[in-house]
Amino acid sequence: MISIPSPLRLRLDSAALIANWRWLAAESGGAACGAAIKADGYGLGARAVMEHLVKAGCRDFFVATWAEAAALMPLPEGVSLSVLHGVGSTDMVAARMLPARPVLNSLEQVARWRDAGEGRPCDVMIDTGMNRLGLRVEEALGGALDGLAIHTLLSHLASADEDSPQNAQQLAAFRAVREKVSARRYSLANSAGICLGAEYAFDLTRPGIALYGGIPRAESEGKLRQVVFPEARLLQMRGVPASESVGYGATWTAQADSRVAVVNMGYADGYLRCHAGRGGATWNGKALPLIGRVSMDLIAFDASGAAGLNEGDWLAVDYDLPGVASASGLSQYELLTGLGARFDRFWI
Ligand SMILES: *Cc1c(COP(=O)(O)O)cnc(C)c1O
């Protein structure tokens, strides 16, 4: 196979990823700090994220589905992998074959694992108020889990990124379950939950977004580094005379004679139309505002202030997650997981 370079690339900063994990591990106090690497490591590449974090000392990883688990095989030595969506009726072959634990989410899943799990250990999710996945507290306390070999008992916080009374309510509910249901380890906190304080950490934390440079709560501002740097190659430079317009719908009109940089990136790459009027890029320290509409494969920047910029040069697309999220209306999660397959991903 020849390798064909893409006009789009994600520069991924492994030192920043590891520094973020170390900060989260320190904030987790005595608890082990794991990593959520579902959705292909939030778009960065799950296998590479796992390898970098294993080197830093991370041992506990979480994916959503068995297909995601299979893509991570063979696992590095000593690594624990949990599959958050548990075992549906079509998952048992994979669940018996792969060295990963299901996170059982319902009485049906518990029964399925008892019947066909060959006594292997599992994890269990308790729903303490989010009403998404997990056994209800009364189900967990009603004997459904008796005799099950539970490795990690989990619950998930619904509002940890806000100062909501729901956080303390879920903490109290999880503590009560912990008194009654025995497991080797207990785990509650995602990234935002880690920022809520040590009492949320229990034995194991499960950060995702903060590893990748997202800011889950104000407590982490200034502590976490940007990991993902999208870059796009300049396809064409053009002069646009004053009063002419650029792009579909002619939504931008040149006020003066302008130089416009047209770049290989668009909404098919996850750079969505809501960036119009707000997005930007830099080249050589100069800011280039996004102009006009976002097309499927193309966007345009006003490069009038960037003398010397030429075809084939790479622009660094603005992707500071909290800033771009508030400007675009997308969440920090969507900004990462939407980044498409046309980016070459390379780690520095
Ligand atoms: C995705 C996920 C996490 C990580 O959440 P972040 O908000 O990205 O830190 C942790 N636990 C569960 C159950 C998840 O689904």
Side-chain angles (χ1 to χ4, degrees):
M1 268 283 278
I2 53 165
S3 96
I4 300 170
S6 173
L8 278 179
R9 61 191 187 194
L10 293 181
R11 196 159 54 80
L12 300 166
D13 185 340
S14 56
L17 174 74
I18 288 170
N20 293 346
W21 181 78
R22 293 218 166 101
W23 184 78
L24 292 158
E27 294 296 300
S28 299
C33 183
I37 57 170
K38 60 200 183 192
D40 202 19
Y42 287 46
L44 283 68
R47 178 84 211 177
V49 168
M50 184 171 76
E51 283 169 4
H52 287 298
L53 292 179
V54 164
K55 274 188 220 142
C58 183
R59 291 292 174 267
D60 298 279
F61 294 87
F62 297 85
V63 291
T65 67
W66 290 96
E68 291 181 341
L72 291 170
M73 300 299 142
L75 291 181
E77 189 67 24
V79 157
S80 151
L81 181 64
S82 298
V83 178
L84 289 164
H85 293 187
V87 275
S89 59
T90 56
D91 292 327
M92 282 308 301
V93 171
R96 275 201 301 253
M97 252 170 52
L98 296 174
R101 295 188 305 279
V103 180
L104 304 178
N105 286 299
S106 64
L107 293 177
E108 290 80 355
Q109 292 196 355
V110 170
R112 186 170 292 125
W113 193 248
R114 280 191 196 281
D115 283 351
E118 298 164 344
R120 284 165 50 184
C122 58
D123 295 347
V124 172
M125 175 68 75
I126 308 295
D127 192 293
T128 52
M130 186 172 189
N131 279 309
R132 199 178 59 170
L133 288 180
L135 274 75
R136 292 187 63 82
V137 170
E138 57 273 20
E139 291 173 335
L141 300 184
L145 301 174
D146 293 355
L148 206 60
I150 304 177
H151 189 281
T152 306
L153 190 81
L154 297 80
S155 189
H156 192 51
L157 297 164
S159 304
D161 56 341
E162 294 167 25
D163 291 325
S164 161
Q166 192 179 19
N167 296 326
Q169 287 159 11
Q170 287 195 266
L171 177 62
F174 190 59
R175 280 185 173 144
V177 174
R178 180 170 169 257
E179 294 299 307
K180 299 271 167 51
V181 178
S182 85
R184 278 176 59 184
R185 306 187 300 187
Y186 298 84
S187 174
L188 176 62
N190 61 347
S191 301
I194 292 170
C195 298
L196 290 176
E199 73 268 32
Y200 285 81
F202 295 89
D203 304 306
L204 170 67
T205 57
R206 314 184 303 268
I209 191 74
L211 292 170
Y212 312 113
I215 304 295
R217 291 181 56 94
E219 291 85 346
S220 62
E221 270 166 30
K223 312 289 186 188
L224 298 166
R225 286 162 55 183
Q226 184 171 347
V227 177
V228 179
F229 298 85
E231 296 177 345
R233 202 166 60 195
L234 210 156
L235 191 59
Q236 187 171 4
M237 276 302 285
R238 58 190 310 123
V240 177
S243 84
E244 289 194 13
S245 63
V246 170
Y248 282 123
T251 58
W252 185 85
T253 301
Q255 299 303 304
D257 291 351
S258 301
R259 272 167 46 88
V260 169
V262 179
V263 154
N264 277 279
M265 184 166 94
Y267 57 75
D269 303 300
Y271 195 79
L272 302 185
R273 283 163 44 114
C274 52
H275 292 295
R278 303 169 182 91
T282 56
W283 178 77
N284 245 356
K286 302 204 181 70
L288 288 74
L290 180 70
I291 57 176
R293 283 203 188 140
V294 173
S295 304
M296 186 184 295
D297 319 298
L298 295 169
I299 43 177
F301 295 96
D302 182 356
S304 303
L309 177 63
N310 281 313
E311 261 178 41
D313 287 340
W314 289 86
L315 298 187
V317 179
D318 294 351
Y319 228 66
D320 144 63
L321 290 176
V324 173
S326 67
S328 66
L330 297 171
S331 70
Q332 299 179 77
Y333 299 82
E334 291 166 295
L335 288 171
L336 291 177
T337 58
L339 292 167
R342 292 195 290 195
F343 286 95
D344 279 341
R345 285 156 167 82
F346 75 100
W347 291 83
I348 53 166

